[in-house]
Amino acid sequence: LNRHRGEPFAQWTWQQLSSHVVDFAATLLRAGVMPGDRDAQWSSNRREWLVADLSLHLNGVVHVPIHRPLSAQQAATQVSHSEARLLLVENAGQAEQIAGRIAEDIAVVCFDGDGEDSAVPLLSDLLGAIENEDRTRVADLRSSTPEAVHLATILYTSGTTGEPKGVMLGQDHLLFTATQM
């Protein structure tokens, strides 16, 4: 998995990926993100995107991926429309672009720091605060399989014939796609 364009390839075993997913899922629980909540992610493809996606599903949280090339206003519209409680972004610069366009009660977390002090928390700082009981809570959630009809993700259309629409996909839709592959 590449971290950023131009950086060397970094191999993860399935066990390492699982560990990163559980740690991030525990971080989400510690931050008060609960099953059924909706959390958005406005980011380029990167390993943190994949870890976040899997962590959100593990916790029963509805993932709202937002296409990175969208403008800050378009992204803010989708964050608001989806009723997201958390927004994951790449860096403080991206957080600044969307600040003031989303409700103040939506938490924003950055994957990367830019070397400057920022009011936006970094994912790495949040990951450093997790404890074993947080991981145990994830394991407890893991033992309960989501029902097929539970909402898993909201994907927004391109809006070619009007405003983008949020397509609500359940666990059954994701499972069907995976088994067809």
Side-chain angles (χ1 to χ4, degrees), residues 18-66:
S18 176
S19 178
H20 289 294
V21 167
V22 169
D23 283 353
F24 187 64
T27 300
L28 292 170
L29 283 174
R30 180 173 262 265
V33 176
M34 301 303 295
D37 286 349
R38 297 170 183 199
D39 291 351
Q41 183 171 205
W42 186 35
S43 170
S44 300
N45 290 337
R46 54 189 296 152
R47 64 182 175 194
E48 293 90 352
W49 194 103
L50 176 62
V51 170
D53 178 60
L54 294 172
S55 299
L56 292 167
H57 291 299
L58 181 62
N59 284 3
V61 175
V62 178
H63 186 199
V64 183
I66 298 173

Side-chain angles (χ1 to χ4, degrees), residues 39 56 104 130 158 164:
D39 291 351
L56 292 167
E104 290 182 18
I130 60 173
S158 61

Side-chain angles (χ1 to χ4, degrees), residues 10-147:
Q11 286 188 326
W12 281 356
T13 65
W14 286 111
Q15 183 60 42
Q16 288 170 313
L17 176 61
S18 176
S19 178
H20 289 294
V21 167
V22 169
D23 283 353
F24 187 64
T27 300
L28 292 170
L29 283 174
R30 180 173 262 265
V33 176
M34 301 303 295
D37 286 349
R38 297 170 183 199
D39 291 351
Q41 183 171 205
W42 186 35
S43 170
S44 300
N45 290 337
R46 54 189 296 152
R47 64 182 175 194
E48 293 90 352
W49 194 103
L50 176 62
V51 170
D53 178 60
L54 294 172
S55 299
L56 292 167
H57 291 299
L58 181 62
N59 284 3
V61 175
V62 178
H63 186 199
V64 183
I66 298 173
H67 193 52
R68 178 57 182 104
L70 293 179
S71 71
Q73 185 56 54
Q74 291 169 313
T77 298
Q78 291 180 10
V79 169
S80 174
H81 182 264
S82 68
E83 300 176 354
R85 295 186 60 227
L86 172 76
L87 174 61
L88 300 167
V89 297
E90 293 180 42
N91 54 47
Q94 190 180 11
E96 288 173 14
Q97 289 176 9
I98 203 163
R101 299 174 193 265
I102 58 174
E104 290 182 18
D105 62 340
I106 297 172
V108 179
V109 175
C110 295
F111 291 137
D112 295 324
D114 56 6
E116 297 179 19
D117 290 334
S118 173
V120 181
L122 292 177
L123 179 59
S124 58
D125 294 339
L126 297 176
L127 287 170
I130 60 173
E131 299 175 6
N132 284 335
E133 58 260 18
D134 299 319
R135 291 181 185 95
T136 301
R137 289 179 61 204
V138 170
D140 291 344
L141 280 177
R142 221 184 210 174
S143 65
S144 63
T145 305
E147 292 184 31

